[in-house]
């Protein structure tokens, strides 16, 4: 008795092979870049300047802990309701998710505002940077995080 778990057409097999190859290539290149990035940056900059940039690059990851990603679960619910042809439920889930994302943005804005206005930004790692450049860099980091918030809305809307 022969059991077939996956019965794929020839087109699907070709597409599956291409996707596996693309995923493997993407992961391999990211790994290679991670091995080459630090030595090249230390070569072109000093260790101290490289440490400053590593610190600044880690800030967005640290700040995105305030991004509660509601859109992944909502997107799955939208797909399920679309398959069942329940358009009213799709609209309801989308509106609720949009409200939750806006509340999340508001909470993030309050936390960042409190930090910027109540605390002096005095990290010993970045003491050599001029204050105006530091504020500009931090503003760009916060802007990128806001773009990440809004990106989740756009992904769900598409």
């Amino acid at each position: 008795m022969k059991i077939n778990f996956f019965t794929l057409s020839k087109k699907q097999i070709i597409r599956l092979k291409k996707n596996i190859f693309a995923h493997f290539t993407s992961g391999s290149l990211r790994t290679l870049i991670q091995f080459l990035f630090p030595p090249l940056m230390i070569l072109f900059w000093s260790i101290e300047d490289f440490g400053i940039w590593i610190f600044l690059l880690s800030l967005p990851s640290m700040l995105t802990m305030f991004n509660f990603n509601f859109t992944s679960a909502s997107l799955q619910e939208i797909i399920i309701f679309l398959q069942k042809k329940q358009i009213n439920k799709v609209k309801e889930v989308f509106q609720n998710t949009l409200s939750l994302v806006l509340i999340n943005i508001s909470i993030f804005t309050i936390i960042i505002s409190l930090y910027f206005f109540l605390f002096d930004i005095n990290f010993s790692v970045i003491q050599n940077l001029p204050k105006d450049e530091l504020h500009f860099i931090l503003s760009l980091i916060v802007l990128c995080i806001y773009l990440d918030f809004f990106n989740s809305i756009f992904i769900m809307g598409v």
Side-chain angles (χ1 to χ4, degrees):
M1 181 163 116
K2 184 177 179 182
I3 299 175
N4 287 333
F5 289 108
F6 298 106
T7 53
L8 301 173
S9 68
K10 212 168 195 148
K11 264 186 174 178
Q12 289 174 326
I13 291 172
I14 291 171
R15 197 168 65 212
L16 182 65
K17 286 179 183 178
K18 285 182 181 180
N19 286 338
I20 289 172
F21 178 73
H23 184 70
F24 176 74
T25 306
S26 172
S28 300
L29 286 175
R30 272 189 264 149
T31 304
L32 181 66
I33 288 171
Q34 291 299 320
F35 280 117
L36 294 178
F37 181 73
L40 288 174
M41 292 300 113
I42 291 172
L43 180 69
F44 288 109
W45 297 336
S46 66
I47 290 179
E48 182 179 314
D49 291 340
F50 177 66
I52 291 171
W53 280 108
I54 290 296
F55 174 75
L56 291 174
L57 288 173
S58 69
L59 283 178
S61 299
M62 186 176 67
L63 291 175
T64 54
M65 72 181 177
F66 296 111
N67 184 4
F68 307 110
N69 192 1
F70 300 108
T71 55
S72 298
S74 299
L75 193 56
Q76 290 177 359
E77 290 294 319
I78 286 174
I79 291 170
I80 291 169
F81 287 133
L82 274 175
Q83 286 180 340
K84 294 179 181 179
K85 309 269 191 244
Q86 295 178 351
I87 302 301
N88 289 334
K89 286 285 192 183
V90 170
K91 290 178 183 178
E92 181 182 332
V93 170
F94 180 76
Q95 290 171 352
N96 289 340
T97 305
L98 185 62
S99 301
L100 287 172
V101 169
L102 292 176
I103 290 170
N104 195 13
I105 290 172
S106 302
I107 291 171
F108 180 74
T109 303
I110 291 169
I111 290 171
I112 290 297
S113 299
L114 287 174
Y115 182 76
F116 272 121
F117 293 121
L118 295 181
F119 299 105
D120 185 31
I121 302 170
N122 191 14
F123 298 115
S124 62
V125 174
I126 50 179
Q127 66 188 1
N128 294 337
L129 286 176
K131 281 278 192 194
D132 50 335
E133 284 183 23
L134 177 63
H135 285 289
F136 181 70
I137 291 170
L138 292 177
S139 300
L140 287 177
I141 289 172
V142 169
L143 177 69
C144 289
I145 293 170
Y146 278 117
L147 289 175
D148 187 40
F149 281 127
F150 288 115
N151 184 37
S152 63
I153 295 173
F154 295 136
I155 287 173
M156 197 176 63
V158 171

